[in-house]
Amino acid sequence: MDENKIVPSKIHLTNIKWEKENTILFKNRLEKNPDYDITVSHNMMHNLEKEIVKIRLFLDMNALIDDPIEQGGSYEVDFFYKIDDLSDHYQISNNKPLFSGIFVSTLLGISYSTLRGMLFNTWKDTFLSNVILPVIAIPDLLKSKR
């Protein structure tokens, strides 16, 4: 396993599936733009024989103006990857695959960046149109399993 060898042409994002899309909008335009408390976490599944990896991202967002208000949402989105030579990115430990951190971080980065664009598009004609998900530290997302 070469932890530092990511070959982009061997990573194929084959499908994206919304599992949960729950946008909550305040009934009227707010006088003041709220701040948003945003939490992102993930889980990862795989099929080693088919060389498929699924990353599910969970995003919860709550608006705050002094106190929480009913605006934001919760989302779960699956990202399916076909990885050529998947075995290059893990080793077997205690009969389970242990994936390299750089490999998982790469998939998380692709997935989160894609989710940012998807939600920007979803929110463009709503009161959330001024919300752009923040750039985050992928090592923090790597630690945030659900």
Side-chain angles (χ1 to χ4, degrees):
M1 175 171 72
D2 184 355
E3 288 193 30
N4 296 315
K5 187 68 173 167
I6 300 295
V7 180
S9 63
K10 292 186 175 189
I11 299 172
H12 311 280
L13 179 57
T14 60
N15 195 12
I16 301 170
K17 184 177 177 190
W18 288 95
E19 289 297 325
K20 179 179 180 184
E21 183 179 359
N22 182 28
T23 302
I24 302 165
L25 296 173
F26 200 69
K27 293 183 183 3
N28 301 311
R29 180 169 283 287
L30 300 167
E31 292 180 21
K32 177 182 172 186
N33 284 338
D35 292 320
Y36 289 91
D37 178 27
I38 298 171
T39 305
V40 183
S41 57
H42 83 284
N43 72 21
M44 179 176 156
M45 299 179 78
H46 53 78
N47 181 319
L48 299 180
E49 293 76 32
K50 293 183 179 180
E51 297 187 312
I52 295 172
V53 174
K54 177 177 90 171
I55 300 285
R56 177 171 288 179
L57 292 183
F58 302 87
L59 184 128
D60 296 301
M61 183 175 82
N62 298 303
L64 303 167
I65 298 180
D66 300 322
D67 293 308
I69 61 170
E70 291 294 317
Q71 184 156 290
S74 59
Y75 307 88
E76 295 177 17
V77 182
D78 289 340
F79 298 85
F80 296 88
Y81 295 90
K82 170 74 170 87
I83 309 296
D84 299 339
D85 303 320
L86 179 61
S87 61
D88 291 348
H89 300 289
Y90 67 88
Q91 58 191 13
I92 300 296
S93 176
N94 296 325
N95 294 322
K96 294 183 178 181
L98 179 61
F99 289 90
S100 78
I102 191 90
F103 173 71
V104 178
S105 294
T106 298
L107 296 183
L108 287 173
I110 295 167
S111 300
Y112 182 71
S113 293
T114 303
L115 179 65
R116 291 179 75 218
M118 290 168 60
L119 288 173
F120 179 79
N121 190 56
T122 297
W123 297 335
K124 71 180 178 199
D125 295 323
T126 74
F127 292 140
L128 297 174
S129 63
N130 64 338
V131 178
I132 298 174
L133 291 180
V135 173
I136 61 172
I138 295 301
D140 292 342
L141 181 55
L142 185 61
K143 297 175 198 170
S144 67
K145 292 186 177 182
R146 185 186 278 187

